[in-house]
């Protein structure tokens, strides 16, 4: 069924519908890359391997456990299974989804995993889905074998089987976990959850810091008039050649238009996570004077922001001071397309007022584990993005054969990195362990892309484009149409690491490769 543009509109909010995802041409965010650069107050900006269970089958150097073996070791379970969730407002039916659970029914988003920096995360993935799956721990600088990047670092776990993940989370920050097999479908069905790594020393409650925190997982769903997921567009090449499979309903922590309570006078840390597979989310918190303190988990010097721009997979931590006189509810707003701002969550003051903090905002503690790039001795590499609608490409290599754009499209490929579509046979580049890599990325397409490097964080250099701020450290960077930017990172994590667009239908249709370290 064709999705309806004005599908789920709660009473009193007639403009809540998102921009029509089925229209041809430009993405909802074209207006962000067509004007002046947005800077200043606007944010456009060795571990132990797990123990193999006796009798488990080794696949690509990893183990897949038959169901009978899953009871041999008491490891916390993360179960992927079909479930139901109330994504549309009350009065609409619940939506069949795929979700994660630690016990009982699955949750949307998946259950929050929370540890302190330096602690281990141990989970047994149990696959009760009808498809193979794997879990990627997004943003964690992790041992390569635990990265969950099927098919590069492990084989996807078949239905009825399991896999043990066991790794240390070295750096504090806001992260998330999600499926990394058929992600354009499995993540869009709901397989994602928050992963919070707390600071080694306390920050929350210290003078000048926030007194409370909220994790807000933002997602984008393509629902039909019965509040069911639109099932016939998972492999829609038309959408993949444009902005991706955009939805028509945005949820906050799995709910449409939830109420978020805040006490007058309190200082709150908001951990914002964009888990959508395609939608870029410009966000605003009018009346709350948000200040940015972290991007993709990494601390930044506190700065005022009016707009928080999150591409797919990106995160931002902001601190808000709730006014004592917040009588009318405030809200978290999203630009739903073409500059139309609509509410996706209400923020209502309630409870006993607190004395507002007079302290300057306390910065987050520095990681202390990330080496600074050495640009004087860097290895220079390039990444050129080509393809998509309205531009295309004359040719690219796919599976070792040079094809023109029409032939590529007939094979489901419409994007390429450095002239190679879905280049998983050979690495894009290799770097010696400890070498600084300076990567120039040029987007020769008509659409923005969210480029994610596995296993590493990188610094955005001075040539940062309109959507980023020079000096920020990230694991996923948004690069606008016809834009070039540069990043640098120390290749200090050995192994094979994916590099791909986190508009996941772009990844599936060509924008995926890998680099080697060591």
């Amino acid at each position: 069924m064709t999705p309806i543009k004005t599908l789920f509109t709660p009473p009193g909010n007639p403009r809540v519908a998102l921009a029509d995802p089925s229209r041809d041409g430009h993405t909802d965010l074209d207006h962000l890359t067509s004007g002046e650069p947005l800077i200043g107050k606007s944010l456009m900006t060795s571990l132990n391997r797990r123990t193999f269970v006796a009798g488990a089958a080794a696949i690509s150097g990893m183990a897949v456990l038959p169901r009978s073996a899953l009871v041999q070791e008491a490891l916390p379970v993360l179960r992927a299974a079909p479930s139901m969730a109330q994504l549309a407002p009350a009065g609409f039916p619940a939506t069949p989804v795929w979700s994660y659970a630690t016990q009982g029914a699955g949750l949307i988003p998946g259950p929050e995993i929370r540890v302190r920096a330096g602690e281990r995360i141990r989970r047994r993935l149990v696959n009760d889905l009808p498809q193979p799956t794997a879990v990627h721990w997004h943003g964690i600088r992790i041992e390569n074998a635990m990265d969950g990047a099927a098919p590069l670092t492990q084989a996807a776990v078949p239905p009825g089987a399991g896999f043990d993940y066991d790794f240390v989370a070295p750096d504090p920050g806001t992260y998330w976990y999600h499926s990394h097999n058929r992600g354009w479908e499995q993540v869009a069905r709901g397989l994602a959850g928050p992963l919070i790594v707390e600071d080694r020393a306390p920050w929350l409650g210290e003078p000048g810091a926030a007194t409370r925190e909220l994790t807000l997982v933002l997602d984008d769903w393509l629902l039909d008039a019965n509040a069911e997921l639109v099932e016939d567009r998972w492999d829609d090449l038309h959408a993949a050649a444009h902005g991706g499979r955009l939805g028509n309903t945005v949820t906050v922590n799995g709910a449409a238009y939830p109420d978020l309570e805040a006490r007058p006078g309190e200082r709150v840390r908001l951990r914002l996570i964009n888990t959508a597979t395609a939608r870029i989310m410009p966000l605003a918190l009018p009346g709350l004077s948000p200040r940015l303190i972290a991007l993709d988990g990494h601390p930044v010097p506190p700065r005022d922001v009016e707009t928080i721009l999150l591409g797919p997979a990106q995160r931002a931590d902001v601190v808000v001071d709730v006014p004592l006189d917040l009588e009318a509810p405030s809200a978290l707003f999203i630009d739903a397309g073409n500059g139309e701002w609509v509410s996706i969550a209400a923020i209502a003051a309630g409870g006993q007022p607190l004395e507002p903090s007079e302290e300057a905002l306390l910065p987050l503690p520095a990681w202390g584990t990330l080496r600074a790039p050495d640009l004087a001795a860097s290895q220079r590499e390039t990444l050129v993005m080509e393809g998509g609608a309205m531009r295309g490409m004359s040719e690219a290599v796919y599976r070792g054969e040079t094809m023109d754009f029409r032939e590529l499209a007939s094979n489901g490929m419409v994007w390429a990195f450095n002239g190679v579509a879905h280049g998983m046979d050979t690495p894009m580049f290799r770097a010696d362990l400890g070498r600084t890599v300076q990567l120039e990325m040029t987007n020769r397409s008509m659409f923005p892309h969210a480029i994610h490097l596995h296993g590493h964080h990188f610094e955005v250099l001075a040539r940062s484009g309109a959507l980023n701020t020079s000096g920020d450290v990230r694991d996923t960077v948004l690069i606008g149409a016809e834009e070039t930017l540069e990043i640098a990172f120390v290749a200090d994590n050995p192994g094979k690491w994916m590099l791909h667009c986190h508009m996941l239908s772009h990844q599936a249709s060509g924008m995926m490769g890998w680099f080697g370290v060591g």
Side-chain angles (χ1 to χ4, degrees):
M1 180 177 294
T2 301
I4 300 173
K5 179 179 179 181
T6 56
L7 191 54
F8 302 119
T9 303
N13 193 0
R15 295 178 59 209
V16 77
L18 299 183
D20 186 355
S22 64
R23 61 183 172 85
D24 292 343
H26 297 282
T27 63
D28 292 339
L29 274 297
D30 287 339
H31 61 286
L32 292 179
T33 59
S34 60
E36 294 296 318
L38 296 166
I39 57 176
K41 288 191 175 182
S42 291
L43 170 59
M44 296 303 186
T45 63
S46 126
L47 308 180
N48 293 325
R49 295 175 182 266
R50 64 172 171 76
T51 303
F52 286 85
V53 176
I59 299 181
S60 297
M62 308 302 292
V64 175
L65 308 182
R67 178 60 57 84
S68 61
L70 295 178
V71 297
Q72 295 182 11
E73 184 182 348
L75 204 66
V77 166
L78 185 67
R79 187 180 305 277
S83 185
M84 300 292 290
Q86 187 63 45
L87 302 178
F92 288 93
T95 301
V97 295
W98 292 356
S99 59
Y100 292 115
T102 51
Q103 58 183 2
L107 303 173
I108 296 292
E112 181 179 283
I113 297 174
R114 183 176 285 260
V115 297
R116 193 173 299 278
E119 293 181 347
R120 301 196 76 84
I121 294 174
R122 303 174 71 240
R123 291 294 186 278
R124 169 166 291 150
L125 170 65
V126 177
N127 184 8
D128 283 343
L129 301 171
Q131 295 178 3
T133 193
V135 179
H136 172 54
W137 312 91
H138 189 109
I140 302 292
R141 296 190 297 141
I142 198 172
E143 181 188 6
N144 192 242
M146 296 288 102
D147 192 46
L152 185 66
T153 63
Q154 70 169 90
V157 180
F163 186 90
D164 288 352
Y165 293 97
D166 186 353
F167 57 91
V168 167
D171 306 307
T174 301
Y175 305 97
W176 64 301
Y177 61 93
H178 62 83
S179 166
H180 212 289
N181 187 62
R182 285 190 61 86
W184 63 97
E185 175 184 353
Q186 293 191 8
V187 176
R189 288 185 181 275
L191 288 177
L195 171 54
I196 307 302
V197 183
E198 297 178 347
D199 295 296
R200 292 177 175 84
W203 179 83
L204 200 68
E206 293 296 300
T211 55
R212 188 167 64 93
E213 67 174 45
L214 290 172
T215 301
L216 302 182
V217 179
L218 313 178
D219 209 345
D220 180 48
W221 307 86
L222 184 56
L223 305 179
D224 65 19
N226 297 315
E228 294 186 355
L229 291 168
V230 175
E231 291 280 357
D232 59 355
R233 290 176 57 183
W234 300 119
D235 299 298
D236 181 358
L237 199 60
H238 178 272
H242 290 76
R245 187 180 186 273
L246 296 174
N248 52 18
T249 300
V250 169
T251 58
V252 179
N253 291 342
Y257 325 115
D259 291 330
L260 308 175
E261 292 189 2
R263 295 175 66 180
E266 77 171 330
R267 178 170 286 180
V268 184
R269 175 182 185 171
L270 303 179
R271 297 179 180 265
L272 302 168
I273 308 172
N274 181 359
T275 65
T277 60
R279 183 172 292 280
I280 301 170
M281 297 188 181
L283 304 168
L285 291 154
L288 295 177
S289 302
R291 285 161 290 174
L292 180 73
I293 60 172
L295 287 170
D296 291 356
H298 190 272
V300 301
R303 62 182 188 243
D304 295 341
V305 290
E306 294 175 354
T307 303
I308 304 140
L309 184 69
L310 293 184
Q314 290 187 318
R315 292 89 63 212
D317 291 37
V318 298
V319 170
V320 297
D321 286 322
V322 182
L324 287 173
D325 58 353
L326 187 67
E327 296 178 358
S330 183
L332 173 62
F333 285 86
I334 188 171
D335 181 349
N338 300 321
E340 289 190 280
W341 290 90
V342 296
S343 169
I344 56 174
I347 301 173
Q352 188 68 27
L354 297 175
E355 188 69 27
S357 175
E358 299 294 335
E359 301 275 352
L361 180 58
L362 180 68
L364 291 173
W367 275 4
T369 59
L370 193 66
R371 293 173 55 186
D374 179 7
L375 299 183
S378 65
Q379 173 180 327
R380 298 188 67 91
E381 301 289 345
T382 59
L383 172 63
V384 177
M385 297 162 245
E386 294 179 293
M390 297 180 290
R391 177 61 59 82
M393 51 191 167
S394 59
E395 63 180 26
V397 175
Y398 177 58
R399 293 182 174 174
E401 181 181 349
T402 300
M403 302 179 183
D404 63 23
F405 191 63
R406 183 180 297 274
E407 190 175 4
L408 287 164
S410 70
N411 283 275
M413 297 291 117
V414 290
W415 300 98
F417 282 165
N418 293 346
V420 180
H422 206 273
M424 298 303 293
D425 294 333
T426 58
M428 298 175 61
F429 60 86
R430 293 187 183 274
D432 291 337
L433 189 64
R435 183 80 182 272
T436 291
V437 176
Q438 190 168 340
L439 181 61
E440 179 186 82
M441 298 189 286
T442 299
N443 180 3
R444 292 181 181 168
S445 80
M446 298 297 291
F447 297 90
H449 301 289
I451 302 300
H452 173 49
L453 271 66
H454 285 222
H456 298 78
H457 272 68
F458 50 81
E459 181 180 341
V460 178
L461 300 182
R463 193 178 181 185
S464 58
L467 305 183
N468 301 282
T469 299
S470 176
D472 286 341
V473 174
R474 312 206 65 142
D475 59 59
T476 306
V477 68
L478 193 61
I479 176 169
E482 300 292 344
E483 185 174 273
T484 295
L485 63 81
E486 291 180 299
I487 64 172
F489 65 96
V490 179
D492 56 1
N493 201 351
K496 297 178 178 180
W497 298 104
M498 276 198 184
L499 188 161
H500 64 87
C501 180
H502 229 283
M503 281 77 166
L504 294 181
S505 58
H506 291 178
Q507 174 192 354
S509 55
M511 299 189 81
M512 181 163 66
W514 62 280
F515 62 97
V517 176

